[in-house]
C-alpha cells in the first residue's frame, strides 16, 4: 500500500523523495515510518493521520496522509 508523508519544520529534511506515494507494508504503524525515515520517536511531538490526532502505534491504511511535527518552542 502507499501513503503520503509530510515532515514539518526541523523534520522536513527527513521527507522522502517519494513522499506522495511512500510504500508501506500492510499493517504498518507510524513508528515503522518514523524509523524508516531515520527519525527518533522522541523527535516527534505531534502526529496526524488524515488530519486527525494519531500516535506512534496508530496503524496506517492505504491512501492515508501522515503528518509528523517536531516540538516547537518559542516565547
Amino acid at each position: 500500500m502507499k501513503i503520503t508523508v509530510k515532515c514539518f519544520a526541523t523534520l522536513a529534511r527527513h521527507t522522502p523523495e517519494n513522499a506522495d506515494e511512500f510504500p508501506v507494508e500492510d499493517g504498518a504503524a507510524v513508528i515503522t515510518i518514523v524509523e524508516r525515515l531515520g527519525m527518533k520517536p522522541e523527535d516527534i511531538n505531534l502526529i496526524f493521520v488524515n488530519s486527525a490526532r494519531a500516535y506512534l502505534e496508530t496503524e496506517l491504511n492505504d491512501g492515508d496522509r501522515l503528518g509528523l511535527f517536531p516540538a516547537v518552542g518559542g516565547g
Side-chain angles (χ1 to χ4, degrees):
M1 65 182 191
K2 294 183 180 178
I3 65 169
T4 299
V5 179
K6 295 197 176 195
C7 303
F8 294 89
T10 57
L11 300 177
R13 62 188 160 91
H14 295 282
T15 301
E17 288 185 21
N18 54 352
D20 291 333
E21 293 190 8
F22 191 73
V24 298
E25 298 147 5
D26 288 344
V30 172
I31 185 69
T32 304
I33 308 308
V34 167
E35 291 173 347
R36 277 182 58 192
L37 295 177
M39 292 182 264
K40 297 176 186 171
E42 58 267 25
D43 293 337
I44 312 298
N45 189 46
L46 286 172
I47 301 168
F48 290 94
V49 174
N50 300 327
S51 303
R53 179 80 161 102
Y55 302 91
L56 290 170
E57 308 79 33
T58 301
E59 286 192 22
L60 298 164
N61 296 297
D62 190 40
D64 279 351
R65 292 172 288 123
L66 172 63
L68 302 169
F69 296 79
V72 177

